[in-house]
């Protein structure tokens, strides 16, 4: 016999029956009936953040690390608008989230009521779908649809907007076991003929490359992908979002490609004759100038989103479907055709690739007097044995983390790739730490980014989240300064953070441990000490070289074969004097 419940209790029961473990939120008037229902429920744990943007990022981090949808609960008006950045962050990187928003009572919608905003309207450009519930009897079905849409096909955030009066009305509760939506039928299995055409190109290639993106991680395709790479033995590379799908130690992996990718990966992309793109969308930070991108290549593109195929580059063989399902079928067919590969020409191709690898494009000038940020990331990798979940904010520190922390597993690298959201790192780390309380979670950040959502240090204290914050402090908005140096004749306009707080005292004021590190020989010991404190959040304020830039780099309007490398020592001395 169905239960007769308030709409608010129906919402909470939907979360329980969906298997939701955590919901990240901040209360307000329009959502108070739902919060009252949460008060009586032990099934779903609510995490009280200090800002709604933090709720969205924490749910996002949880989703990226676990593969399960992150869930957010906020109130109407400013509660909703404060989540927009987090929603857009998840949307750009195809992260499954369900965002429940309170709304003013139905009779007041459109009257400019207190704390009213058109939630459906303002979120429409940055969600996979959104709902406004107008009937209490539709709550359960709508919630089921929201979770299904968020986590199937190409994942993404879904907003469910619920007026306050709907949460106080009653209805019989029954949560659907399954949902069928005639207008939404994501394709999972790839077309067998297209897969065969793709294999024809791959086995006939003379200069092949395998290029993987975030879709390979989101579809949990790592096992099938590694099988494919090891079978073909072709050079392989990854986008920023795809790191970890192929282990960094795999002998066929060339590292990250794109604007700050390795020389060998970018040159291989430029010179290849056949490219297999797995769950990658050919965004501008990967391709550089599209007119110069991989000019002689035939492209086989695998993606579950048909609109992503051929959107930016011409594709020879499009294959729509789930990356994992398609790679499994490709591997099955390849086992019978691997003998057709032109190994002689592929071996010659590898010799060329090895000559590019010899350049060591990620090398940097070590120092005994100032701390190089690359050195910190390398030591972090050593101290954590490469086993940490690493979140990052956005900027130079993000790129150094991607370049120098060798990810061996997927879902360990948690960062905002598409939107590039400063402030993402700390709240995302909270979500990851809640999901994996016994694991090491590190937030690599910068002195500008960390201040965007610094208030979440309070949340970390309340819920005993022992995140380790590694602040690469160069007293600049580092990437902004780098671009101003390169493209604005070193006019450092408003990129210097000349009023920074004492981060050690600030961390301590929140009840955490703060450490300042100012010399290279103290870095390793400080990291070991910090990670030895397994039950405490430790904020490491590491004072790094202000003049260091991220290299190599493909400047705007340039192609993969036009990478910019670290300047000579003499040029570096001039740069250092000018900054001083």
């Amino acid at each position: 016999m169905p239960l007769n419940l308030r709409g608010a209790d129906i919402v909470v029961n939907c979360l329980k029956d969906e298997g939701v473990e955590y919901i990240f939120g901040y209360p307000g008037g329009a959502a108070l009936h739902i919060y009252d229902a949460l008060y009586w429920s032990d099934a779903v744990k609510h995490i009280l953040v200090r800002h709604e943007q933090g709720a969205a990022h924490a749910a996002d981090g949880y989703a990226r690390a676990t593969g399960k949808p992150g869930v957010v609960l906020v109130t109407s008006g400013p509660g909703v608008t404060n989540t927009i950045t987090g929603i857009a962050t998840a949307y750009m990187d195809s992260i499954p989230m369900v965002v429940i928003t309170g709304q003013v009572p139905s009779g007041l919608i459109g009257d400019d009521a207190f704390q009213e905003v058109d939630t459906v309207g303002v979120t429409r450009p940055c969600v996979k779908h959104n709902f406004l519930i107008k009937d209490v009897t539709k709550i359960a079905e709508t919630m089921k649809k929201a979770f299904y849409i968020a986590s199937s096909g190409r994942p993404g955030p879904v907003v469910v907007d619920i007026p306050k009066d709907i949460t106080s009305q009653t209805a019989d509760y029954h949560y659907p076991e399954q949902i069928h939506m005639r207008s939404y039928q994501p394709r999972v299995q790839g077309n067998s003929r297209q897969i065969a055409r793709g294999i024809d190109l791959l086995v006939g290639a003379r200069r092949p490359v395998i290029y993987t993106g975030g879709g390979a991680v989101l579809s949990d395709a790592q096992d099938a992908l590694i099988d494919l790479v090891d079978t073909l033995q072709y050079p392989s590379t990854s986008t920023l979002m795809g790191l970890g799908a192929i282990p960094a130690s795999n002998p066929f992996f060339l590292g990250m490609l794109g604007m700050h990718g390795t020389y060998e990966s970018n040159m291989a992309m430029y010179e290849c004759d056949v490219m297999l793109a797995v769950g990658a969308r050919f965004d501008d930070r990967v391709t550089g100038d599209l007119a110069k991108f991989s000019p002689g290549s035939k492209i086989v593109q695998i993606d579950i989103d048909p609109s992503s195929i051929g959107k930016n580059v011409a594709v020879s063989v499009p294959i729509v479907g789930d990356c994992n399902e398609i790679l499994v079928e490709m591997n099955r067919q390849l086992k019978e055709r691997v003998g057709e590969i032109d190994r002689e020409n592929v071996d010659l191709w590898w010799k060329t690739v090895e000559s590019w690898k010899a350049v060591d494009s990620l090398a940097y000038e070590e120092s005994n007097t100032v701390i190089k940020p690359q050195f910190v990331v390398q030591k972090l990798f050593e101290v954590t044995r490469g086993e940490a979940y690493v979140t990052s904010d956005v900027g130079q520190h993000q790129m150094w983390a991607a370049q120098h922390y060798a990810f061996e597993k997927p879902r360990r690298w948690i960062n905002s790739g598409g939107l590039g959201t400063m402030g993402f790192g700390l709240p995302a780390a909270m979500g990851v730490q809640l999901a994996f309380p016994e694991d090491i979670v590190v937030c690599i950040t910068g002195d500008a980014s960390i201040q965007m959502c610094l208030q979440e240090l309070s949340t970390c204290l309340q819920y005993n989240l022992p995140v380790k914050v590694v602040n690469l402090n160069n007293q600049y908005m580092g990437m902004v300064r780098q671009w101003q140096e390169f493209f604005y004749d070193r006019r450092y306009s408003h990129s210097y953070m000349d009023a920074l707080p004492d981060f050690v005292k600030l961390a301590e004021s929140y009840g955490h441990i703060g450490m300042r590190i100012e010399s290279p020989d103290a870095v390793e010991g400080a990291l070991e000490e910090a990670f030895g404190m397994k039950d405490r959040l430790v904020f490491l304020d590491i004072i790094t070289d202000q003049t260091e830039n991220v290299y190599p780099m493909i400047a705007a309007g340039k192609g993969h074969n036009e990478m910019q490398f670290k300047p000579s020592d003499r040029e570096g001395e001039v740069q250092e004097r000018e900054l001083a």
Side-chain angles (χ1 to χ4, degrees):
M1 184 174 179
L3 296 172
N4 189 264
L5 302 173
R6 289 184 308 162
D9 295 301
I10 291 174
V11 171
V12 174
N13 273 273
C14 289
L15 298 176
K16 174 186 174 182
D17 289 346
E18 191 63 39
V20 172
E21 184 179 13
Y22 293 104
I23 183 169
F24 303 87
Y26 201 92
L32 282 185
H33 290 324
I34 302 175
Y35 271 92
D36 187 56
L38 282 169
Y39 179 86
W40 300 102
S41 174
D42 295 327
V44 181
K45 302 179 184 70
H46 181 276
I47 305 300
L48 175 66
V49 297
R50 300 307 186 259
H51 189 286
E52 290 91 349
Q53 182 177 339
H57 292 330
D60 184 325
Y62 175 92
R64 292 179 197 242
T66 64
K68 297 184 289 187
V71 185
V72 177
L73 173 61
V74 297
T75 193
S76 63
V80 170
T81 57
N82 281 345
T83 66
I84 296 294
T85 297
I87 293 170
T89 299
Y91 179 70
M92 287 289 284
D93 290 341
S94 305
I95 305 304
M97 277 174 38
V98 173
V99 182
I100 303 166
T101 59
Q103 183 55 275
V104 300
S106 302
L108 296 179
I109 292 177
D111 288 350
D112 294 332
F114 177 67
Q115 291 194 332
E116 181 189 0
V117 73
D118 178 7
T119 298
V120 169
V122 299
T123 62
R124 183 175 287 120
C126 58
V127 294
K128 186 175 178 182
H129 196 66
N130 55 21
F131 297 93
L132 171 61
I133 297 180
K134 299 179 180 180
D135 182 346
V136 66
T137 66
K138 301 296 184 184
I139 290 177
E141 179 185 2
T142 303
M143 291 292 289
K144 186 68 176 182
K145 287 180 179 179
F147 278 96
Y148 174 63
I149 293 170
S151 56
S152 61
R154 180 179 179 176
V158 175
V159 167
V160 181
D161 196 34
I162 313 178
K164 188 172 184 179
D165 59 309
I166 300 299
T167 60
S168 66
Q169 297 169 10
T170 61
D172 289 343
Y173 173 67
H174 171 72
Y175 196 60
E177 292 185 9
Q178 294 180 331
I179 203 79
H180 177 78
M181 301 176 68
R182 187 174 60 181
S183 60
Y184 177 67
Q185 298 287 324
R187 181 168 186 166
V188 175
Q189 302 293 332
N191 182 283
S192 58
R193 292 184 180 179
Q194 293 298 91
I195 292 174
R197 286 183 60 207
I199 290 175
D200 286 342
L201 284 179
L202 286 170
V203 299
R206 300 162 68 92
R207 302 185 310 278
V209 161
I210 299 171
Y211 153 51
T212 63
V217 174
L218 295 172
S219 62
D220 295 316
Q222 60 273 5
D223 292 342
L225 178 60
I226 293 168
D227 192 10
L228 182 87
V229 170
D230 290 345
T231 297
L232 291 173
Q233 300 181 15
Y234 289 171
S236 304
T237 183
S238 169
T239 67
L240 177 75
M241 302 308 298
L243 291 173
I246 302 173
S249 61
N250 187 292
F252 307 114
F253 186 61
L254 306 182
M256 183 176 71
L257 81 158
M259 177 174 282
H260 295 295
T262 64
Y263 181 55
E264 56 267 28
S265 63
N266 282 327
M267 287 302 298
M269 289 286 282
Y270 182 78
E271 296 283 358
C272 72
D273 67 345
V274 172
M275 180 192 307
L276 173 63
V278 181
R281 58 189 176 87
F282 295 91
D283 71 285
D284 60 296
R285 291 299 172 101
V286 163
T287 63
D289 185 355
L290 279 171
K292 302 174 182 178
F293 177 72
S294 196
S297 175
K298 293 180 179 178
I299 298 173
V300 181
Q301 186 179 4
I302 301 171
D303 204 292
I304 200 164
D305 181 6
S307 70
S308 290
I309 294 185
K311 181 168 66 175
N312 295 327
V313 298
V315 173
S316 302
V317 181
I319 308 176
V320 178
D322 178 79
C323 291
N324 184 60
E325 296 287 340
I326 292 169
L327 290 178
V328 167
E329 176 59 20
M330 275 191 149
N331 283 322
R332 189 189 69 78
Q333 294 189 30
L334 271 172
K335 302 298 183 186
E336 302 171 2
R337 301 191 58 185
V338 69
E340 300 174 33
I341 295 174
D342 185 352
R343 289 295 179 195
E344 185 175 347
N345 276 298
V346 172
D347 288 345
L348 290 174
W349 173 231
W350 265 112
K351 288 182 180 179
T352 302
V353 172
E354 292 294 338
S355 71
W356 293 325
K357 289 178 69 174
V359 173
D360 193 9
S361 57
L362 300 184
Y364 63 95
E365 184 180 344
E366 298 182 15
S367 172
N368 293 321
T369 56
V370 295
I371 301 175
K372 297 291 185 176
Q374 303 95 320
F375 172 76
V376 176
V377 176
Q378 289 173 343
K379 285 299 176 184
L380 178 65
F381 175 79
E382 293 175 13
V383 170
T384 62
R385 297 177 177 85
E387 296 176 354
Y389 287 87
V390 180
T391 74
S392 85
D393 277 297
V394 171
Q396 287 181 314
H397 60 271
Q398 177 189 28
M399 294 299 105
W400 285 317
Q403 290 176 335
H404 296 281
Y405 197 99
F407 293 96
E408 291 290 304
K409 299 176 183 178
R411 299 191 183 277
R412 295 296 178 112
W413 171 229
I414 314 292
N415 78 116
S416 169
L419 197 64
T421 305
M422 294 172 68
F424 174 83
L426 179 59
M430 298 188 319
V432 177
Q433 191 74 80
L434 283 161
F436 300 103
E438 302 302 320
D439 288 289
I440 299 170
V441 180
V442 184
C443 170
I444 299 178
T445 186
D447 47 277
S449 282
I450 189 61
Q451 295 187 83
M452 292 282 189
C453 286
L454 187 65
Q455 73 283 341
E456 299 308 329
L457 286 174
S458 178
T459 308
C460 291
L461 182 69
Q462 180 172 347
Y463 297 99
N464 301 312
L465 303 177
V467 172
K468 304 301 183 282
V469 180
V470 176
N471 183 35
L472 301 181
N473 187 344
N474 60 10
Q475 298 180 359
Y476 270 96
M477 299 177 199
M479 192 61 83
V480 172
R481 181 203 59 74
Q482 177 169 334
W483 280 56
Q484 288 172 335
E485 176 189 331
F486 288 176
F487 309 119
Y488 296 90
D489 198 25
R490 298 182 180 174
R491 294 187 295 275
Y492 301 115
S493 177
H494 302 284
S495 56
Y496 177 53
M497 305 293 286
D498 59 355
L500 290 174
D502 183 327
F503 286 110
V504 171
K505 291 181 179 178
L506 189 58
E508 291 173 347
S509 74
Y510 275 103
H512 303 301
I513 295 173
M515 302 169 64
R516 181 175 293 107
I517 300 94
E518 300 182 272
S519 63
D521 58 3
V523 170
E524 185 172 0
L527 289 170
E528 289 177 343
E529 181 181 355
F531 285 100
M533 292 182 272
K534 298 184 184 300
D535 60 345
R536 297 295 301 274
L537 185 148
V538 183
F539 192 114
L540 297 105
D541 187 27
I542 304 179
I543 311 304
T544 60
D545 186 353
Q546 285 186 295
T547 69
E548 196 68 20
N549 289 322
V550 182
Y551 292 105
M553 178 177 179
I554 301 174
K558 301 294 184 180
H560 282 165
N561 62 329
E562 300 172 294
M563 296 192 75
Q564 184 174 347
F565 295 92
K566 186 173 178 62
S568 68
D569 293 345
R570 184 177 180 83
E571 290 172 317
E573 290 171 7
V574 172
Q575 169 190 326
E576 187 169 357
R577 285 200 304 272
E578 291 193 7
L579 279 177

